[in-house]
Amino acid sequence: MRIIRTTQALRTWQRRHDPLRGSIGLVPTMGALHGGHRALIRHARRTCGTVVVSIFVNPLQFGPAEDYRRYPRDLSRDLACCREENVDLVFLPKAETLYPHDFQTTVAVGALSQRWEGEHRPTHFQGVTTVVTKLLNLVRPDRAFLGQKDYQQYCVIRQLVKDLDLDLRITLCPTVRDADGFALSSRNRYVTNTQRQRALALYQALAAGKQAIAGGTRRADLVEKKMVKVLDAGHGLAIDYLRCCDARSLEPLTRLRGTVVLLGAIRVGGVRFIDNLIVRIR
Ligand code: AMP
């Protein structure tokens, strides 16, 4: 497994990549790798000749009051994980490598990145789309693999790829969860057991919403009421949003039809959790 830390070395690697070795699959990550990342890497491994994983805690996507400094970093475990998963190349840039002192260009997607997460984290998606554009431009993958866990991020990146005519396919991989439904996340490392137990209600609320739809409910307000009831907000648990949306546009729905995504974000004792479920209505 090769490790590359500079953009120059990555460019040289890219230029010398032999097309006979098959397509290039990119799995962009911020490290502290877990089962969710492994699932993306395995999907890439099954479908691409060359698998590239980037590990970069992107300062641009954290707000000033957010957890950039505290974000879990565990390089030796991450590299061991990549070796186990038979990754070909790990791109491991430093912040100064991707953002030198005179850096001044950002890439921003419009309306899609302004609602939901965008409302609560105003500079977040601009940071994501800027770093993803740079990574795609450096690695030039044929495919990139993203997790459903960050569904809005996937929608925003898909829009970016379409709008800028980027030549690659984006594959969405299902959310990997613990046995009780709690979605795996790097940030779970600093969540206490009590917080985790309370935050599990987010998944349970989404699952109840999905069940209500499966049972025939087509009014979004009724599904949302049901989800809020399961979540039972209060006692240090706050709901940022919990809505039924169109899975493509992420517009909130009143009447449910087509492919619907139930999007939720809550805060438990200062830690934010997001999750979602997709429901297809015939
Ligand atoms: P991150 O390292 O958190 O920036 O995530 C890197 C990629 O892994 C993103 O495409 C995420 O959506 C994806 N990911 C994170 N957690 C999970 C999970 N539990 N299941 C599937 N994919 C995930």
Side-chain angles (χ1 to χ4, degrees):
M1 184 177 81
R2 193 147 170 219
I3 299 171
I4 288 184
R5 295 171 196 271
T6 67
T7 52
Q8 208 174 20
L10 189 60
R11 278 216 184 287
T12 308
W13 172 86
Q14 215 297 335
R15 287 209 187 96
R16 289 185 186 153
H17 175 76
D18 181 354
L20 289 176
R21 293 203 55 203
S23 57
I24 299 177
L26 172 66
V27 180
T29 82
M30 297 210 297
L33 302 181
H34 53 68
H37 298 112
R38 275 188 197 263
L40 301 187
I41 297 171
R42 283 179 192 170
H43 201 130
R45 189 68 284 168
R46 281 198 301 278
T47 48
C48 299
T50 300
V51 175
V52 179
V53 172
S54 60
I55 299 177
F56 180 60
V57 184
N58 175 30
L60 228 56
Q61 71 187 68
F62 289 79
E66 290 182 3
D67 55 347
Y68 174 66
R69 280 175 192 284
R70 242 184 101 205
Y71 194 85
R73 291 160 171 88
D74 196 342
L75 187 56
S76 53
R77 249 181 79 180
D78 286 352
L79 293 177
C81 167
C82 290
R83 277 195 194 94
E84 277 164 31
E85 298 300 337
N86 209 6
V87 167
D88 297 289
L89 169 64
V90 176
F91 181 46
L92 202 62
K94 284 206 165 83
E96 314 82 90
T97 307
L98 289 190
Y99 306 122
H101 71 279
D102 60 343
F103 183 83
Q104 49 191 299
T105 304
T106 51
V107 180
V109 169
L112 201 48
S113 68
Q114 276 150 24
R115 58 169 76 241
W116 313 125
E117 280 307 281
E119 261 172 48
H120 294 271
R121 306 180 71 190
T123 55
H124 172 66
F125 283 121
Q126 188 168 309
V128 170
T129 41
T130 300
V131 82
V132 166
T133 305
K134 285 171 74 76
L135 291 170
L136 295 178
N137 201 31
L138 286 162
V139 178
R140 298 186 177 252
D142 301 283
R143 295 180 68 166
F145 297 82
L146 305 176
Q148 190 192 318
K149 167 73 171 48
D150 302 280
Y151 186 73
Q152 187 178 5
Q153 173 171 280
Y154 157 73
C155 295
V156 168
I157 293 174
R158 188 179 56 185
Q159 190 71 38
L160 165 87
V161 166
K162 180 171 175 281
D163 290 349
L164 297 187
D165 307 300
L166 303 180
D167 187 14
L168 80 150
R169 201 170 130 192
I170 302 284
T171 300
L172 182 68
C173 302
T175 303
V176 177
R177 301 175 180 281
D178 282 333
D180 58 5
F182 197 68
L184 302 192
S185 162
S186 303
R187 288 188 170 97
N188 291 353
R189 291 191 188 193
Y190 50 62
V191 167
T192 64
N193 267 344
T194 322
Q195 282 171 328
R196 184 194 181 284
Q197 224 32 51
R198 300 215 63 203
L200 178 59
L202 174 57
Y203 169 73
Q204 290 165 342
L206 295 168
K210 185 171 177 167
Q211 204 179 17
I213 300 171
T217 310
R218 293 294 175 265
R219 269 178 55 187
D221 60 338
L222 295 181
V223 173
E224 287 163 0
K225 223 176 188 173
K226 172 139 213 163
M227 295 196 289
V228 170
K229 200 169 162 199
V230 173
L231 207 43
D232 188 21
H235 307 290
L237 186 153
I239 302 175
D240 280 350
Y241 57 84
L242 193 55
R243 299 297 296 272
C244 303
C245 303
D246 177 81
R248 236 171 203 277
S249 65
L250 300 188
E251 297 279 344
L253 294 167
T254 44
R255 185 116 200 113
L256 304 179
R257 60 194 176 96
T259 307
V260 174
V261 61
L262 308 178
L263 285 179
I266 60 167
R267 279 170 284 126
V268 180
V271 183
R272 227 167 151 267
F273 297 86
I274 60 168
D275 200 352
N276 67 85
L277 288 177
I278 294 174
V279 191
R280 288 186 182 83
I281 300 175
R282 296 224 192 126

